[in-house]
Amino acid sequence: VQLAESGGGLVQPGGSLRLSCAVSGYIFSPNTMNWYRQAPGKERELVAGINSSGSTNYAVSVKGRFTISRDNAKNTVYLQMNSLKREDTAVYYCNAYKGSWPSYDYWGQGTQVTVSS
């Protein structure tokens, strides 16, 4: 199983980006797909998550600005990021998690998002 993130880059404050995470290989459902991020010198933090039923959760810092979605037919999860701030600068990681048997915890390599003028 591989998770491949794309869509990162350099954007000005107030701008938008859409990250994608394509999952190759078979993974059991139900599961939760998450986006994490890690800024330099900081711990990795959960940004947003979405389960197989479509229920979502967001970090307080991104609520109202970011939207997570998933296309199960395409095995892809997205993170739409609007009104970006400098403090959103980080490496963003895609994660596929299933706690019950057969459990798994897969990670992508990450994509850099830089918010700067």
Side-chain angles (χ1 to χ4, degrees):
V1 175
Q2 290 187 325
L3 279 63
E5 301 99 335
S6 60
L10 174 64
V11 63
Q12 292 187 343
S16 298
L17 281 176
R18 189 174 87 149
L19 304 183
S20 299
C21 172
V23 180
S24 59
Y26 181 79
I27 57 174
F28 288 91
S29 293
N31 59 36
T32 300
M33 298 298 298
N34 301 300
W35 285 98
Y36 285 77
R37 68 185 180 188
Q38 188 167 20
K42 294 188 177 182
E43 291 188 355
R44 191 173 295 190
E45 63 171 350
L46 177 64
V47 176
I50 184 168
N51 65 17
S52 297
S53 301
S55 295
T56 59
N57 64 281
Y58 296 93
V60 172
S61 59
V62 308
K63 207 165 189 178
R65 300 188 297 122
F66 291 10
T67 302
I68 189 170
S69 60
R70 62 191 289 170
D71 185 333
N72 292 326
K74 294 182 179 179
N75 284 341
T76 301
V77 62
Y78 305 96
L79 186 67
Q80 177 67 44
M81 305 186 295
N82 299 329
S83 303
L84 282 160
K85 305 176 180 180
R86 288 183 174 82
E87 50 264 42
D88 294 318
T89 295
V91 178
Y92 283 71
Y93 297 91
C94 181
N95 166 252
Y97 176 80
K98 185 176 185 298
S100 59
W101 186 91
S103 61
Y104 52 78
D105 190 13
Y106 299 121
W107 292 86
Q109 295 290 330
T111 185
Q112 176 70 47
V113 172
T114 303
V115 184
S116 175
S117 54

